[in-house]
Each structure stands twice: as C-alpha cells, then as structure tokens.
C-alpha cells in the first residue's frame, strides 16, 4: 500500500455547541482532482479551511506527504487556494497579484516576471497584467486568483466554490479551463461545490458530504450506479424513492413488497435490513418504463407529460398516491397511447432498484 | 493650486458609478437655504476679518509681512505645525490598533469599546484636559508611579511644554482617526487577508503589503482631520502648554482679546484658514471628497 499524498484523518470541528464537521476521513492521491459535494452547511468549507489552516480542527490530523500540517501556520503551508468571493488585492495590478506570493518569498525580479508571464498564459490572460482587479469581469478575476494560487507551485490547490458567482455559460467555460490547467500542472486539487453537474464534469473522485460526514467517496459513476446510502442516491442525479417493506434478503439481493402488494425480487440491497422492516426502494427515472400492453408492474395513472427534445418526462400517480418521475428516450419508441390522464403499467428491471433503510 | 478637470488616470475601461457631470447642478434650488446660511454665518465674518487684516491699522499687507517675518510669530507657527504633526502621527500610531480591534472584535466587545470611545468624546473637553493636568503634573500619578518603580529620580517635565500638549491633544484627537480608520478597515474583506496568508505572507508582510495600502484612504482622512483640527486647537495647548509653546489659536486669542490688535489677529486667522483650505484641497485632489471607503469593496 503506498502512502496517500494527502491524508485527512478523523477531522472534527466544533464551534461552541455547533458541530460543523463530525468526522471526516479521506485519502487523496497525488495529482488527483477530488470534489467535495454536499448541501449547504454540510461541512465542506470547514474541512477545506482546516487544511488551509484558518480554522484548526478540534481533533483529527492532516498529513501532507507523511508530515503533519496542523502545526504549520497557514502562511508556511505552501497551499494554494481560490475562494468563493473575489479575493484579489484590489490595490495591485493583475501582474502584481500573481507576483505577490513570489515577492513575499523574496524571489528575484527576473524569475518573478517570467513566472507571472507563464501563469497569465496558463489562465489565458496574457496581456492583461497591467489591469486592476476592478477592471476585470468575475470570471477573469477568478482566473487571476487561480494564477496567483498556482504561482508558487503548491502541492495542493484548494478551491471553495470558485465559480458559484458566475452565470452558467461562463461557469462551464471556466470548468473546461480548470480541467485543462489540472492536466497541464498535475496539481492535486480539492474542489468544493454543491453543483453535482460541476462535480461530475470536473472530478476524478467525489466525496459526498452530509451533516459533517462523508457519506461516500467514489467516481461519479460509482456514486450514480452504486450509491451507498439513500442520501447519496437522492443527491446525485434524480431519483424516485418508493416506500417498501422488506420480505427477505439473501446476500445483496432482497425481496420486497410495495404498498399496493406488488412483490419484487432480486432488488439490490445496500444496507443490512431485516425482514418486515420498512425501507425505501430507489429507482432512477430513466430506468423506469411505461407500458400499456403489459400486465406486470405497478398500475399507474399519467398526470403529466413533458417533451424534452430527446426524451419525454412523465409524472405518474402510483396507487399509494405517490408521484413518480419517469423519463423515456424518444428513440426507444414510446407508445402513442401514453397521454395525460390515461392508465399504464410502470415496469423496471429488478437490478434497477436499490434498497435503502428507512422509508422516505 | 490644482487646476484643470479632475483627472483620474485614464484606464481602458470607464470607471463605474460616476454620475454624468451635467446633472450635478440640477438640485441647486434645494441647497439654497443652506447656501445662504453658510454665506451669512461663515463667508461674511471671514471676509470682514480679512478686511480688517488688510485695513488696520493702515491699509496694506504689513500685518502679513510682520506675521511672517517676526521671530516670535515664526516660533508660534513652528510650534503649531510641530504639535499638529506629532499629534497626527501619535494618534495614527495609537489609533490604528484600536481601529483594527474594533473591526475584528466580536460584536459585543466592539460595541463596548465603541461606547468607551464615544463616552470619552462626549465628556467635557475642559474636564478631560484638567484630568490630564492632574496626571501629568510634577507630583502627578504618572511621575509618582515612575519614581516609585525607580525608573526616574526626579519628576519628568510633562506639563507646560510641548510634551504635555502633545499627550493631551493626542488623547482628544484619537477618536477622529479611529472612526474613519475603522470604516475603511471594516470594508476590507477578511478573505483577502486569508488569501495573503496562504500566499505565504507572514503577519508583517500581510500588514505592510495588503492591510496598510488598503487602509490608506482611512489613514489619509483621519490624519487630515486631526492635523487640521490640531492647527486651530485652543483649550488643550492653553492649559497644558507653557509660555514658550504658544500655538496659533492662542496667539489669535491673545492678539484680539489682550492686545486688541484686530489687524494682526485677522491676519493670523486668515493664514490658518488658508492653510486649512489648502490641505482640504489636497485631500479632494488625491482622495476625492466623499469617497473615503476602502479601495476594494467591489
Ligand atoms: N465560524 C463559525 N461559527 C459557528 N458555526 C460555523 C462557523 N463556520 C461554520 N459554521 C457552521 O458549521 C456548519 C458547516 O459549515 P460549512 O461552511 O463548512 O458548510 P459548507 O458545506 O461549506 O456549506 P456551503 O455550501 O453553504 O458553503 C454550518 O452549520 C455552519 O453554520
Ligand atoms: Mg462553504
């Protein structure tokens, strides 16, 4: 087993009675792009700040390349960070902002000039060195902040929702830039966002935060296809949670009964559940199908149909008065009789169902 | 003095938030009462004083010539500018940490500190100055404490000299640097300082290269306020100073009240007014009149 590059061990942080981070443990490989994804207040920033050194954790340990970071003051950690808010030094030009970390390190002028030029080229802002931060757009400011954070070749770059103040178009453009820069520099990046699309687009791995803990860490595909908890399943992608009752389980497969009496076997079980326990069966909208000819599945009534170009989105009413979302690709051939107000059968392959504890 | 249009360095982009100048005079009618008030209570007396300074005892500029060439008067000017300068510097040095504390302390403590500062500001000026006399005199608390500790053998001369004037005035001027400084410091995003720290700046570098430059508008506003107020200060120099430390305001009072020399008094007052206006013009030229906020709120 090789030693992880960045090793976060059991971090906990409390502010008086408030527990901001309950227990976060995470191993990050060198050069990895790892994203913290989670709802507001789940402890993402606090974890990042513990690594940056602004808010020392109440307990736990952070090791970088085997050495503890916690005893090192933040100005000696040599870590790069891009903040959510614009933090360029407003009294310094773009070039001087990027030069700042090198000036405080007392590098030679020639070296600084060369590095600044290279950094501005990296973030595609060549020729803007003379501008003042106030004369830049938000996206440009964040790119300068990125150049400033990378100017001293930090081993780790922290980014706390750097794009959240930008509009969607610009955000996507800069996401591509960030990916390119990650590839070009090979820097290890910890990135915070609560935008799942952004997380999926950027990262090698995603750590899903919830209430000060990491619920699951894995690639986007892992999280989507094999969510470890109901929270992860609900947070990544869209999902339907059907109330169900556990009948019996063998290994990872379970048999369950839906409220209308429908029995399902071969459902994937992600948490240990006992017979008779009430649980939640998660099925993604795109794994569901509506059929008129079939006699199996769950009888439903179609409440609403929306045309989405490549697919149709249905809202259907289950016998137990739950609204369920169904998404069917138009290319798959949709029965013309599936219109609002008609009855149909809702079917899905057994393996598309994921069983979690607790009805939701 | 500064002529020409208000020149900002020409940037590639138009600076945001500047009102088109044509509309600037639109609301003139509304300020007319204030304008008349100012003309009647300020401009008129000043003009009257100026007239006396060039008319009495004989028409001409001899009052001004005398004022600027007599060694005694030169000493008064020197005293005035020295005290104003030293007081400005001292209040900046003492006021900056306090303003910083006010900006970073949690709400309740900041409010308390604010209260203390305001309370001291609202306490009667004479009372505060007499309190300093008690503290600073030969047998005062400060001298006795220093002697008890054994730091000095004989009492230090802390009163009836420039040291006393400076100490007393610095205390009185402190709020006038703390308040504008506090306003600028508060407008600085703490994340900017965190960024500086992660960039590798230690405390001193972060102060020197980020905090100080960003607080310059507040420093300038506070210094100017204190300097100008100090130039014309009367009570404290009169009570804590000695015969050889006379300042301009005392001189004017003496010329007018004791010597009934309205011509000389008017000339001295006029010089004071011109210096003050010149300093104000400098501030407007370099900092703008109303824009006393930190450079980087945007
Ligand atoms: N300085 C503080 N004092 C008290 N509570 C705090 C402090 N900082 C954070 N918290 C609390 O800790 C919890 C986690 O905060 P944190 O900022 O880490 O969340 P986050 O995941 O970054 O959320 P967001 O997506 O909104 O930025 C929140 O409940 C927050 O209110
Ligand atoms: Mg946050």
């Amino acid at each position: 087993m090789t030693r992880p590059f960045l090793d976060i061990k059991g971090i906990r942080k409390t502010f008086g009675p408030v527990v901001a981070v309950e227990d976060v443990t995470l191993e990050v490989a060198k050069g990895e792009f790892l994203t913290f994804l989670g709802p507001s207040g789940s402890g993402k920033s606090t974890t990042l700040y513990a690594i940056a050194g602004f808010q020392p954790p109440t307990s736990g340990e952070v090791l970088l390349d085997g050495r503890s970071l916690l005893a090192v003051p933040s100005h000696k950690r040599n870590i790069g960070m891009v903040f959510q808010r614009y933090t360029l030094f407003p009294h310094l030009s773009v070039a001087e902002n990027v030069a700042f970390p090198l000036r405080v390190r007392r590098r030679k002028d020639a070296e600084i000039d060369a590095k600044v030029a290279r950094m501005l080229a990296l973030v595609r802002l060549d020729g803007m060195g003379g501008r003042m931060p106030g004369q830049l757009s938000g996206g440009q400011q964040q790119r300068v902040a990125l150049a400033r954070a990378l100017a001293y070749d930090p081993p780790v770059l922290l980014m706390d929702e750097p794009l959240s103040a930008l509009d969607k178009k610009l955000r996507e453009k800069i996401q591509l830039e960030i990916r390119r820069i990650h590839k070009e520099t090979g820097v290890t990046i910890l990135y915070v966002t609560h935008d799942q699309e952004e997380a999926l687009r950027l990262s090698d791995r995603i750590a899903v935060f919830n209430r000060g803990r990491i619920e699951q860490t894995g690639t986007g595909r892992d999280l989507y296809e094999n969510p470890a908890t109901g929270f992860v399943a609900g947070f990544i992608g869209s999902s339907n949670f059907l109330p169900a009752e556990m009948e019996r389980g063998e290994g990872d497969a379970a048999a369950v009964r839906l409220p209308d009496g429908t029995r399902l076997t071969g459902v994937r079980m992600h948490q240990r559940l006992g017979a008779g326990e009430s649980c939640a069966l998660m099925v993604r909208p795109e794994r569901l199908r509506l059929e008129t000819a079939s006699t199996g599945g769950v009888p439903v009534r179609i409440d609403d149909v929306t045309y989405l170009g490549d697919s149709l989105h249905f809202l259907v009413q289950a016998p137990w008065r739950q609204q369920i979302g169904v998404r069917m690709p138009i290319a798959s051939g949709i029965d013309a009789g599936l219109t609002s107000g008609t009855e149909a059968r809702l079917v899905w392959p057994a393996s598309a169902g994921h069983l979690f504890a607790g009805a939701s | 003095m500064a002529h020409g249009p208000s020149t900002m360095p020409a940037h590639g982009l138009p600076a945001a938030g500047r009102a088109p100048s044509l509309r600037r005079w639109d609301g003139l009618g509304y300020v007319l009462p204030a304008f008349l008030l100012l003309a009647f209570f300020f401009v008129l007396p000043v003009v009257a004083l100026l007239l006396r300074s060039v008319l009495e005892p004989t028409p001409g500029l001899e009052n001004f010539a005398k004022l600027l060439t007599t060694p005694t008067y030169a000493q008064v000017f020197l005293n005035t500018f020295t005290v104003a300068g030293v007081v400005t510097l001292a209040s900046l040095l003492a006021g900056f940490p306090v303003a910083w504390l006010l900006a970073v302390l949690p709400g309740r403590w900041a409010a308390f500190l604010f209260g203390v500062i305001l309370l001291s500001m609202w306490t009667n000026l004479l009372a505060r100055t007499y309190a300093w006399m008690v503290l600073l005199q030969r047998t005062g608390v400060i001298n006795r404490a220093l002697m008890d500790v054994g730091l000095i053998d004989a009492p230090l001369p802390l009163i009836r000299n420039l040291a006393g004037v400076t100490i007393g005035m610095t205390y009185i001027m402190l709020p006038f640097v703390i308040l504008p400084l506090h306003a600028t410091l508060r407008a600085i995003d703490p994340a900017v300082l965190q960024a500086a720290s992660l960039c590798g700046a230690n405390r001193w570098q972060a102060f020197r290269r980020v905090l100080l430059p960003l607080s310059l508008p507040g420093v300038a506003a506070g210094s100017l306020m204190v300097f100008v107020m100090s130039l014309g200060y009367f009570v404290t120099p009169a009570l804590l100073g000695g015969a050889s430390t006379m300042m301009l305001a005392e001189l004017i009072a003496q010329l007018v009240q004791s010597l009934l020399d309205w011509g000389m008094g008017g000339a001295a007052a006029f010089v004071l007014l011109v210096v003050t206006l010149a300093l104000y013009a400098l501030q407007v030229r370099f900092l703008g009149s109303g824009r006393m906020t930190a450079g980087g709120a945007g």
Side-chain angles (χ1 to χ4, degrees):
Chain A
M1 228 354 267
T2 57
R3 188 175 65 192
F5 184 56
L6 181 63
D7 197 357
I8 301 163
K9 291 179 166 174
I11 292 241
R12 180 183 172 82
K13 176 72 183 174
T14 54
F15 297 98
V18 182
V19 181
V21 173
E22 187 85 45
D23 174 17
V24 165
T25 296
L26 190 64
E27 296 183 355
V28 188
K30 193 174 175 110
E32 196 174 13
F33 196 128
L34 192 138
T35 297
F36 294 177
L37 177 65
S40 192
S42 56
K44 308 180 297 289
S45 298
T46 307
T47 306
L48 219 56
Y49 277 34
I51 300 169
F54 302 138
Q55 290 168 351
T58 314
S59 61
E61 178 64 284
V62 179
L63 300 172
L64 180 63
D65 223 356
R67 277 187 300 273
S68 173
L69 274 186
L70 294 184
V72 183
S74 63
H75 71 273
K76 287 191 178 149
R77 289 193 183 191
N78 208 35
I79 283 177
M81 181 153 181
V82 180
F83 295 75
Q84 178 171 11
R85 283 175 302 187
Y86 303 139
T87 59
L88 293 185
F89 307 125
H91 59 297
L92 297 179
S93 69
V94 165
E96 276 310 308
N97 263 280
V98 179
F100 183 90
L102 305 170
R103 295 224 185 279
V104 299
R105 284 172 172 76
R106 306 197 188 291
R107 300 281 170 77
K108 292 196 190 67
D109 279 354
E111 185 193 339
I112 294 178
D113 291 347
K115 188 80 190 189
V116 168
R118 243 183 307 140
M119 283 299 135
L120 288 180
L122 182 69
V123 298
R124 304 254 156 97
L125 287 176
D126 342 39
M128 300 270 226
R131 294 258 191 110
M132 296 305 282
Q135 302 171 314
L136 298 180
S137 70
Q140 289 170 331
Q141 290 200 41
Q142 289 303 63
R143 283 193 280 167
V144 176
L146 184 59
R148 182 180 67 183
L150 289 172
Y152 44 105
D153 301 311
V156 176
L157 176 63
L158 311 176
M159 302 178 90
D160 189 0
E161 307 196 34
L163 308 183
S164 61
L166 309 178
D167 65 67
K168 193 166 154 58
K169 260 245 166 65
L170 189 56
R171 206 156 61 215
E172 286 174 5
K173 189 175 152 222
I174 300 186
Q175 282 165 4
L176 288 177
E177 302 255 313
I178 292 175
R179 264 183 82 108
R180 173 182 59 79
I181 288 166
H182 176 237
K183 282 212 186 78
E184 281 178 28
T185 58
V187 63
T188 308
I189 297 183
L190 291 187
Y191 192 99
V192 169
T193 182
H194 49 231
D195 175 355
Q196 52 154 314
E197 218 176 286
E198 183 166 279
L200 291 168
R201 191 171 292 146
L202 287 174
S203 3
D204 299 324
R205 278 197 303 154
I206 298 172
V208 180
F209 275 65
N210 185 30
R211 302 176 185 209
R213 288 174 186 279
I214 295 181
E215 295 252 339
Q216 187 178 4
T217 309
T219 62
R221 184 175 217 128
D222 277 346
L223 300 179
Y224 193 79
E225 293 178 358
N226 297 305
T229 63
F231 177 82
V232 174
F235 201 75
I236 311 258
S238 26
S239 43
N240 298 297
F241 287 92
L242 316 185
E245 191 190 305
M246 181 76 184
E247 290 206 316
R248 68 199 143 71
E250 272 163 38
D252 283 350
V256 298
R257 203 178 54 224
L258 296 180
D260 68 331
T262 311
R263 283 204 157 73
L264 302 164
T265 54
V267 177
R268 281 198 286 168
M269 190 164 51
H270 294 266
Q271 286 154 328
R272 289 278 121 222
L273 297 164
E277 231 178 292
S278 66
C279 44
L281 179 70
M282 192 280 284
V283 195
R284 303 275 183 202
E286 70 272 17
R287 304 297 302 274
L288 293 168
R289 273 192 71 76
L290 289 167
E291 293 178 352
T292 43
S294 167
T295 51
V298 179
V300 294
R301 200 189 68 235
I302 298 173
D303 281 347
D304 190 41
V305 189
T306 317
Y307 175 74
L308 293 174
D310 57 343
S311 60
L312 285 183
H313 188 259
F314 298 89
L315 278 178
V316 302
Q317 176 104 247
W320 54 91
R321 314 212 132 279
Q322 180 188 11
Q323 233 177 19
I324 299 172
V326 181
R327 201 162 133 177
M328 294 169 68
I330 288 177
S332 71
I334 297 174
D335 194 325
L338 293 175
T339 53
S340 196
T342 58
E343 307 277 331
R345 290 281 173 161
L346 185 63
V347 297
W348 63 92
S351 66
H354 302 262
L355 203 60
F356 298 105
S360 41
Chain B
M1 281 285 115
H3 269 289
S6 78
T7 45
M8 292 291 293
H11 296 309
L13 292 175
R18 205 137 307 163
S21 55
L22 271 182
R23 327 213 59 184
R24 189 178 267 177
W25 300 103
D26 278 2
L28 202 61
Y30 301 106
V31 297
L32 202 61
F35 188 75
L36 288 177
L37 200 77
L38 205 64
F40 190 75
F41 286 105
F42 179 71
V43 178
L44 221 57
V46 167
V47 170
L49 198 63
L50 176 61
L51 282 179
R52 293 186 89 155
S53 72
V54 291
L55 294 176
E56 291 177 16
T58 53
L61 290 176
E62 64 187 272
N63 281 330
F64 288 92
K66 206 163 117 195
L67 195 64
L68 299 177
T69 51
T70 316
T72 333
Y73 294 149
Q75 184 63 45
V76 171
F77 277 112
L78 186 69
N79 286 346
T80 308
F81 282 95
T82 310
V83 168
V86 175
V87 165
T88 304
L89 205 66
S91 4
L92 268 184
L93 290 179
F96 202 106
V98 181
W100 177 243
L101 261 185
L102 277 176
V104 298
L105 277 182
R108 231 164 358 120
W109 290 104
F112 175 74
L113 189 53
F114 242 119
V116 172
I117 292 168
L118 285 182
L119 213 62
S120 83
M121 246 176 108
W122 291 335
T123 308
N124 183 288
L125 179 63
L126 273 174
R128 287 188 284 162
T129 307
Y130 279 120
W132 273 112
M133 285 178 82
V134 174
L135 291 175
L136 294 173
Q137 62 194 320
R138 284 181 62 83
T139 54
V141 181
I142 294 174
N143 268 322
R144 254 187 299 164
L146 287 176
M147 279 162 71
D148 286 349
V149 181
L151 277 174
I152 50 171
D153 298 327
L156 292 175
L158 293 174
I159 201 168
R160 306 253 158 265
N161 56 20
L162 283 183
V165 177
T166 306
I167 293 172
M169 277 179 64
T170 300
Y171 161 70
I172 283 158
M173 294 300 171
L174 261 180
F176 298 99
V177 286
I178 291 174
L179 297 181
L181 258 181
H182 170 245
T184 21
L185 288 176
R186 252 178 60 124
I188 298 174
D189 188 343
V192 169
L193 296 175
Q194 291 183 328
S197 166
L198 267 194
C199 279
N202 59 30
R203 271 160 196 274
W204 166 247
Q205 287 169 320
F207 171 77
R208 172 67 199 75
R209 287 174 179 269
V210 180
L211 191 62
L212 190 61
L214 288 183
S215 59
L216 275 188
V219 170
S223 322
L224 187 84
M225 177 84 105
V226 169
F227 192 80
V228 166
M229 283 176 70
S230 302
L231 284 182
Y233 225 64
F234 177 73
V235 175
T236 310
L239 292 180
L240 294 179
S244 65
T245 66
M246 181 180 282
M247 287 174 63
L248 206 47
E250 293 174 84
L251 176 69
I252 296 171
Q254 206 172 67
L255 285 171
V256 172
Q257 286 178 350
S258 316
L259 307 175
L260 298 178
D261 187 346
W262 282 88
M264 279 303 291
F270 190 71
V271 169
L272 187 57
L273 182 68
V274 167
V275 171
T276 305
L277 287 180
L279 286 171
Y280 179 67
L282 270 184
Q283 165 178 345
V284 173
R285 175 82 173 73
F286 288 109
L287 293 169
S289 52
R291 276 171 265 124
M292 281 293 135
T293 48

